[in-house]
Amino acid sequence: MPRSVIWEDYNYLSGGYDEYFSNYVSPHSKEMVKKLSIEKGASCLDLACGTGVITVELARGTGESGKVISVDASRGMIEKAKEKISANQKVEFIRNDMFDALKTIKKESLDFVTCGWAIGYSSPLKLFKAVRPLLKQNGKVGIIENRQDTLMPLRCAGIEVMKRYPAHIRYLMVLPFYLPKSKEHLKQLYVSAGFMPLYLWEGEVEFNFKSGKDVLNWVLHTGASAGFDKVMDASIKDECDEAFIEIMEREHKKDGRITILHKFVAGTAQKI
Ligand SMILES: C[S@@+](CC[C@H](N)C(=O)[O-])C[C@H]1O[C@@H](n2cnc3c(N)ncnc32)[C@H](O)[C@@H]1O
C-alpha cells in the first residue's frame, strides 16, 4: 500500500484517534517514556508523533529549558498534537517522512529519540541505524510497537474477505512484516544497530465488542489498522463490510462478546 494512502487515512483518523486508540494504549506509551528518565534541558525527538501522546510527556520531562522536535507525515495528526502543547513548552513540529526528517537533524545533537506505534512503517533496523548517529554518546532511544502477532482476528477476517473478492484487491498491507516478533527480537534489533538494551517488555491491551459491527466501527476509527478499508476496491465496500462482520460474529464471538488482543512490545536502549 503506498505510504500516501496511509498518511491520508491518518488525516481522517486523527479526529477519533485518541478516543479509539490512545485512551487504551497511552498508559503503556507513557511507561516507556518514564523508563527513559528524561532530564530537564534535554533535546528530544519524537518520530511519528501522531496526536502527541509521547510528545507531551517529553515536553513535560525536558521542561522549559529543553527542546522537543516532533515529526509526523500526517497533517491531521500534527494539528491534534499541537492542541496539547502549552505556550511555555518548546516543541517544533515537522510534517515529513521520518527518514527524510532524520537527514535534516545535526549529528550527536539529541539526548532522547522515541517512536510510538510506528516503527513498523519502515524497516526498524534501518531506522535505528539512521537514529544512532544523531544521538549524543549515551543518548537513549525508546520504542513501543505492535507485536507481529497482534490483532490476529482482524487480520484473519481481512484475509477471508480478500479471498472472497480476489478481483477487487487494491493494495496489500505490509505493516505486519516489519513489526518486532517479541522483546527478544527488539533486543536483537537494538544490538545490531549499536545500542545497549536497557528495559524490554511485552504486554497486551484487551478490547471487547458486543458485535461484529462494533469491531468494524473500531477498525475504521483506530490507528491500529490505518489503511484497512483501502485494501479492497471502494465499489465493493458494502459487501466487504458485511463479510467482515459475518466472519467476526461466526469465528470470534464467544459468550456474547468478541475479544481482540492488541499485543505490543516496548523497549529502551542506550547508544554505545
Ligand atoms: C499509530 S500512530 C502513532 C502516533 C503516536 N506516536 C502515538 O504514540 O500515538 C502512527 C503515526 O505514524 C505516522 N507515520 C506513518 N508513517 C510515517 C512516516 N513514514 N513518517 C512519519 N510519520 C509516519 C502516521 O501519520 C501516524 O500519525
Side-chain angles (χ1 to χ4, degrees):
M1 180 175 294
R3 295 183 316 167
S4 55
V5 174
I6 301 267
W7 299 347
E8 192 50 47
D9 212 28
Y10 272 113
N11 283 338
Y12 162 75
L13 292 169
S14 58
Y17 179 84
D18 286 340
E19 181 190 343
Y20 284 88
F21 190 64
S22 308
N23 284 352
Y24 299 90
V25 303
S26 61
H28 303 287
S29 309
K30 288 177 187 173
E31 188 189 347
M32 182 273 285
V33 179
K34 202 169 160 201
K35 285 197 158 58
L36 287 171
S37 307
I38 308 287
E39 291 132 20
K40 293 280 174 227
S43 297
C44 310
L45 171 66
D46 186 22
L47 291 170
C49 65
T51 58
V53 170
I54 292 175
T55 294
V56 168
E57 297 304 309
L58 297 177
R60 197 172 289 143
T62 190
E64 287 181 35
S65 56
K67 189 183 174 189
V68 183
I69 302 172
S70 292
V71 178
D72 200 282
S74 157
R75 176 185 34 77
M77 296 296 267
I78 286 188
E79 287 310 313
K80 286 283 160 196
K82 281 182 179 168
E83 290 171 11
K84 298 191 177 113
I85 303 302
S86 51
N88 59 349
Q89 291 177 323
K90 260 199 265 163
V91 182
E92 178 191 354
F93 286 98
I94 300 176
R95 180 154 76 91
N96 204 346
D97 168 69
M98 45 188 157
F99 275 102
D100 290 340
L102 289 177
K103 289 178 200 150
T104 67
I105 292 170
K106 214 172 129 222
K107 287 207 167 108
E108 302 198 355
S109 64
L110 299 168
D111 298 292
F112 299 96
V113 178
T114 52
C115 185
W117 313 101
I119 53 165
Y121 288 118
S122 71
S123 149
L125 184 58
K126 202 173 136 204
L127 187 75
F128 293 165
K129 284 185 173 171
V131 159
R132 192 179 177 280
L134 309 182
L135 281 166
K136 297 176 189 169
Q137 197 59 28
N138 299 326
K140 290 182 193 167
V141 56
I143 298 297
I144 186 160
E145 184 52 289
N146 305 327
R147 232 167 62 186
Q148 212 172 80
D149 60 349
T150 194
L151 305 175
M152 271 305 174
L154 300 186
R155 294 201 348 237
C156 293
I159 289 167
E160 276 303 306
V161 173
M162 287 159 77
K163 277 161 67 182
R164 280 191 202 181
Y165 302 103
H168 295 273
I169 299 170
R170 263 172 91 204
Y171 303 118
L172 294 176
M173 291 185 79
V174 294
L175 177 70
F177 305 114
Y178 290 116
L179 297 174
K181 292 188 182 73
S182 59
K183 61 181 183 179
E184 286 75 26
H185 187 198
L186 182 59
K187 183 178 175 181
Q188 275 170 22
L189 293 167
Y190 273 144
V191 171
S192 305
F195 289 94
M196 178 178 68
L198 297 171
Y199 299 98
L200 294 153
W201 69 104
E202 292 177 14
E204 57 190 32
V205 180
E206 189 176 301
F207 292 89
N208 286 298
F209 304 94
K210 287 199 191 92
S211 67
K213 202 173 171 188
D214 289 349
V215 179
L216 181 66
N217 183 48
W218 181 75
V219 176
L220 298 179
H221 286 90
T222 170
S225 315
F228 189 86
D229 69 334
K230 305 293 181 299
V231 169
M232 303 301 288
D233 203 289
S235 65
I236 200 159
K237 181 177 175 1
D238 290 348
E239 290 87 335
C240 290
D241 286 356
E242 244 172 66
F244 180 86
I245 291 168
E246 182 260 309
I247 295 161
M248 290 310 299
E249 293 271 343
R250 179 167 41 81
E251 300 278 327
H252 301 289
K253 197 165 192 172
K254 289 192 182 66
D255 302 327
R257 69 178 181 184
I258 301 168
T259 300
I260 310 275
L261 291 180
H262 193 19
K263 301 179 183 181
F264 68 85
V265 53
T268 59
Q270 192 158 33
K271 177 176 172 175
I272 44 171

